Amino acid sequence: MSKHIIRLIRPHQWLKNSFVFTPLFFSRHATEWCYVWPCVLAFLAFCFTASGVYCFNDIYDAEADRMHPVKRMRPVASGRVSTSTAYVMMGMAWLIAFALVVLGSFFSGRPEKGLAATLLFYMVINIAYSVKLKQIALLDVFIIAIGFVLRIVAGGLATGIGLSHWIVLITFLLALFLALAKRRDDVAVFEASGVKARKNVERYNMAFLGSSIAILGSITIMCYILYTVSVDVTERTGSHYLYVTSVFVLAGILRYMQLTLVDQKSGSPTNVLLHDHFIHACIIGWIVLFIFILYV
């Protein structure tokens, strides 16, 4: 039972919540413990908030998941975890999340109402997403992208670091790119098996998604390049060489497009990020070079 409980809360998906650290990383405060500690607590709070949402989603979608070739193995859909147990885990996850917010407030010495409101808003829009909004084509992927923006908002609120409009834009565009790539996998499953991962799958097709992914990939790369050469960023960081990191962003996005359009492996962005060595190299190269430019 314990391994199925772990599968229910999906800790492998917590990788997405690393976006909480984005404001800290770009602020040049990543080596200062007084900023790192509240950010870690915010990250954990977001992880448990998201886990509660995953529990709700598995409960609500159990019947539909049983018809899906992959999702039918989810803990609730497969019957390995009862609905009542899933509800208990959902409540516990959310209780832990807000307890972490209170703990963060205690250590930082300031109220964390903004962070609590951000987590609550994330919960509400994702419950609405699970119940209805994910069936509305385009709105579904926009909500996913907003969820990633809320992650960086949480990181900014927890540390008191202001968010650059560039970071918000890049995060939103990248998340939208990944969400559309995932929808392409849903369409591929539907065309191959006739099984609908969601009702709105008929409102997407390969041509539309291929074009949209290409457009968003291009805009994301351009937005990142503009960020690296913008006057406010070069003055704040004291470096005119951030543009060099664009090569890793370009390579990473092109690789993801290759996996999506050529290899048909975009069903789980998290699995791609965990298992593709080329993308690992791009991410590590980008982080190392960025750290060298900002901190050395």
Side-chain angles (χ1 to χ4, degrees):
M1 173 65 77
S2 59
K3 69 176 182 179
H4 299 302
I5 293 293
I6 292 173
R7 286 188 59 207
L8 177 69
I9 64 175
R10 306 185 201 177
H12 65 285
Q13 296 285 0
W14 289 1
L15 179 64
K16 299 175 183 177
N17 300 318
S18 59
F19 276 82
V20 169
F21 294 101
T22 303
L24 176 64
F25 181 75
F26 286 99
S27 69
R28 304 183 73 179
H29 292 300
T31 58
E32 300 175 39
W33 187 246
C34 61
Y35 287 93
V36 173
W37 179 240
C39 201
V40 169
L41 290 177
F43 165 76
L44 292 173
F46 221 108
C47 288
F48 282 102
T49 301
S51 286
V53 170
Y54 295 142
C55 292
F56 177 85
N57 182 72
D58 279 17
I59 294 166
Y60 191 84
D61 283 350
E63 185 175 346
D65 287 347
R66 292 186 184 104
M67 304 297 294
H68 193 275
V70 177
K71 294 180 180 179
R72 63 187 177 86
M73 299 307 297
R74 285 179 173 176
V76 178
S78 64
R80 293 184 174 94
V81 174
S82 67
T83 300
S84 59
T85 300
Y87 273 121
V88 170
M89 293 305 300
M90 177 184 73
M92 287 180 61
W94 286 340
L95 184 62
I96 292 171
F98 284 96
L100 287 166
V101 172
V102 173
L103 183 63
S105 179
F106 174 77
F107 280 107
S108 66
R110 62 175 184 270
E112 298 288 358
K113 294 180 180 179
L115 177 58
T118 301
L119 296 179
L120 184 60
F121 182 61
Y122 179 85
M123 288 167 54
V124 170
I125 64 169
N126 276 277
I127 289 171
Y129 173 87
S130 294
V131 173
K132 179 65 178 178
L133 300 183
K134 69 179 179 181
Q135 308 302 346
I136 303 174
L138 292 182
L139 180 60
D140 60 335
V141 291
F142 273 81
I143 289 176
I144 292 172
I146 290 170
F148 279 87
V149 172
L150 290 176
R151 288 171 169 88
I152 65 171
V153 169
L157 289 170
T159 57
I161 296 171
L163 298 181
S164 162
H165 62 278
W166 289 110
I167 302 304
V168 174
L169 277 172
I170 293 168
T171 299
F172 181 80
L173 290 169
L174 180 61
L176 198 57
F177 169 81
L178 295 174
L180 285 169
K182 191 175 188 302
R183 287 296 170 270
R184 190 181 186 281
D185 186 77
D186 292 339
V187 172
V189 170
F190 173 62
E191 291 183 350
S193 65
V195 175
K196 295 181 181 178
R198 59 194 75 247
K199 293 179 182 178
N200 70 9
V201 73
E202 293 179 343
R203 297 296 297 151
Y204 293 109
N205 61 36
M206 290 298 196
F208 170 76
L209 289 169
S211 299
S212 299
I213 290 167
I215 291 169
L216 276 167
S218 301
I219 295 174
T220 303
I221 293 168
M222 183 56 65
C223 189
Y224 183 81
I225 293 172
L226 289 173
Y227 157 75
T228 61
V229 298
S230 63
V231 175
D232 58 324
V233 171
T234 55
E235 288 180 349
R236 178 166 52 83
T237 61
S239 175
H240 294 277
Y241 298 103
L242 288 179
Y243 72 90
V244 179
T245 63
S246 299
V247 66
F248 293 109
V249 175
L250 176 60
I253 288 180
L254 287 177
R255 172 59 174 173
Y256 202 92
M257 289 179 67
Q258 182 185 50
L259 292 170
T260 300
L261 303 176
V262 180
D263 299 335
Q264 311 286 329
K265 293 181 178 179
S266 59
S268 173
T270 303
N271 285 339
V272 170
L273 293 174
L274 286 173
H275 298 109
D276 188 79
H277 297 313
F278 189 98
I279 288 183
H280 292 167
C282 291
I283 293 173
I284 292 171
W286 178 81
I287 291 174
V288 170
L289 185 55
F290 218 106
I291 289 175
F292 181 80
I293 292 173
L294 287 187
Y295 293 94
V296 177

